[in-house]
Each structure stands twice: as structure tokens, then as C-alpha cells.
Amino acid sequence: MDDLTQCLYDFLLECRMGSLRENKEYRACLSAVELQEEQVKSFLNGEQRKELELLLDRVAERDSIEQTHLFQAVLELVRELGALVR
């Protein structure tokens, strides 16, 4: 991402995505994930918990990369649509 795109992305995350935390569906999903994570961890030993944490970190990293890519694709589409309208 170039600097401008990164600034737009950061702005979106900081200023426009706050309402996501107030979304009932999102909160319910988040709670279910956290509960399931704790349930799974309760059956694991220390080494297995570390492996689970690594897996969850990698899944989060993958999701972040996907979201960044999606943002860039949407931004490019907006640029293309803007050029068509002009």
C-alpha cells in the first residue's frame, strides 16, 4: 500500500469501524468465538495452548491481509467508477 492508501485504511479502521463493536450480530459472534476458544483451551496442555495461539495468530494475520486486499480492490473500483462518471 502506498502512504495515501495506508492513511485511508487507518482512518477507516479508526473512525468508521467503531460502529462494528455496537453491532449485535458482531458482538454475538465475538462472544461465541471467545467462549469456544476458552473451552478448547481447557482441554489442552501448555504446549498445545501455545500451538493454538500460534494458529489463531496466523489466522488473524491472514484475515488482516485479506481485509487489506479487499480494501485496495474496493478503492480501485471506486477510482474506476469515478473515472466513468466524469
Side-chain angles (χ1 to χ4, degrees):
M1 256 193 275
D2 63 25
D3 289 342
L4 177 58
T5 305
Q6 185 66 50
C7 285
L8 287 171
Y9 187 69
D10 292 342
F11 174 80
L12 174 71
L13 290 177
E14 291 174 22
C15 299
R16 300 298 174 124
M17 295 300 289
S19 63
L20 180 62
R21 290 180 183 87
E22 297 171 14
N23 180 288
K24 288 180 183 180
E25 184 179 7
Y26 175 78
R27 287 191 327 222
C29 181
L30 184 60
S31 293
V33 167
E34 290 171 348
L35 178 62
Q36 187 173 8
E37 181 181 343
E38 289 306 313
Q39 288 173 342
V40 169
K41 282 181 178 180
S42 72
F43 293 105
L44 303 177
N45 64 37
E47 186 62 33
Q48 291 168 326
R49 286 181 185 194
K50 288 178 187 177
E51 288 298 318
L52 177 62
E53 288 298 326
L54 283 173
L55 173 63
L56 293 174
D57 288 346
R58 289 206 172 119
V59 169
E61 183 180 6
R62 182 204 60 201
D63 290 348
S64 177
I65 291 168
E66 288 174 357
Q67 292 301 316
T68 301
H69 186 77
L70 178 62
F71 174 77
Q72 290 172 319
V74 168
L75 189 58
E76 185 59 36
L77 181 59
V78 167
R79 287 178 182 146
E80 290 175 19
L81 290 172
L84 289 174
V85 172
R86 290 183 206 141

